Amino acid sequence: MVVMTPEAGEAEIAAVRARLETTGVHVLVLPGELTTAIGAIGDPERVAELGLEGMAGVDRVVPISRPYKLASSEFAHHEPTVFAVDGHMIGAPSTFALIAGPCTVESRDQTLRVARTVAAAGACMLRGGAFKPRTSPFAFKGLGPPGLEILSEARAETGLPVVTELLDAAHAPLVAEHADVIQIGARNMQNYALLEVAGKLGKPVLLKRGLSSSLDELLMAADYVLKEGNERVILCERGIRTFETATRFTLDLSAVPWLKLHTHLPVIVDPSHASGDRRLVEPLARAAAAVGADGIIVEVHEDPEHALCDGPQALYASDFAGFAERVAAHAALDGRALS
Ligand code: PEP
Ligand code: MN
């Protein structure tokens, strides 16, 4: 929609119309009491490239259609995307995915023990980072390739599929060899080259919302993966930067029902990174179930005080079974059972 200034005359309106028509869009001139608006129905990309904002008599150009194409439920894709990861349904309105594990693979023993605990409590996937994005370059960055081997061993023993982060395109073949789901971390949500690499690996992609990214930007990032022909994308709300400093990030729970309205992709919530405080993880996990999330991803450790990364937000492994039971009860209120 092109809104003209009150001073715009016939010649300026005609010039805008003529320029729009060069793209083949359908043009509708809508004269109002004060200003004239010109509607353009057709390819928004081509209209965006016309430089209409700079034309004489144009006040503003207001996009009406959404900027994300493939992730949108507005165009061709109305039905929710549902897929199985090793037999566990993701995105079905009747299932709730409980993804749990350590922040970081620290050792074989630590990872296998947590994997057994979360498997026994009904988790459908094991999380754990072998390559960690750390704010300080001097912090522990993960075990790297041996960490991936440990995750594979945990899968072999527990049967849990593994979700782990792809931090660098150079690691893609190795990570794809060990991961069942490729995680793109919040800090890389707008690393478009990495998104394209992840989209080509033939595995589901868990895409975390950027620390300061809008939901439109999240869905456009998802489009980068989807355009590689990969339909299996899981969106993850993990908290965003706001003025509030009491919690590590601010969990944007309204993102869940908003995304459910505007995209066909499954949506999960990460209450661990959002809050940074294990005492908040259960209430936020229950809230995630209440607002219709398709699952949660949470961090668990046997000895969080000695964790190499994110200890304060890790649930005690000894509490995990009770946690899972209570969250499952809340998911059941929304008609969902653990997948
Ligand atoms: C993680 O899940 O391990 C992680 C680093 O999360 P985020 O990218 O959301 O900070
Ligand atoms: Mn973490």
Side-chain angles (χ1 to χ4, degrees), residues 103-104 127 132 248 273 299 309-310 313:
C103 173
T104 307
R127 64 145 290 142
K132 297 301 297 180
R248 189 176 177 191
H273 290 92
E299 293 188 341
C309 183
D310 288 350
Q313 69 199 32

Side-chain angles (χ1 to χ4, degrees), residues 254-293:
S254 57
V256 177
W258 189 91
L259 286 167
K260 288 276 159 195
L261 285 174
H262 294 96
T263 176
H264 52 87
L265 296 171
V267 182
I268 66 167
V269 168
D270 176 347
S272 304
H273 290 92
S275 65
D277 181 338
R278 82 172 60 82
R279 297 168 299 178
L280 304 188
V281 170
E282 183 175 328
L284 294 178
R286 296 196 310 237
V291 292

Side-chain angles (χ1 to χ4, degrees), residues 8-22:
E10 290 301 323
E12 282 144 350
I13 292 167
V16 170
R17 161 175 234 154
R19 191 174 293 189
L20 279 169
E21 280 170 347
T22 62

Side-chain angles (χ1 to χ4, degrees), residues 67-130:
Y68 38 88
K69 306 277 166 262
L70 305 173
S72 173
S73 48
E74 183 179 75
F75 303 108
H77 208 311
H78 300 298
E79 292 306 310
T81 289
V82 179
F83 54 89
V85 177
D86 234 19
H88 303 281
M89 297 310 285
I90 308 287
S94 58
T95 61
F96 191 79
L98 176 58
I99 305 171
C103 173
T104 307
V105 176
E106 298 171 6
S107 72
R108 180 175 177 274
D109 190 49
Q110 165 251 7
T111 303
L112 290 180
R113 289 167 73 97
V114 170
R116 288 180 203 122
T117 301
V118 302
C124 69
M125 249 184 263
L126 175 68
R127 64 145 290 142

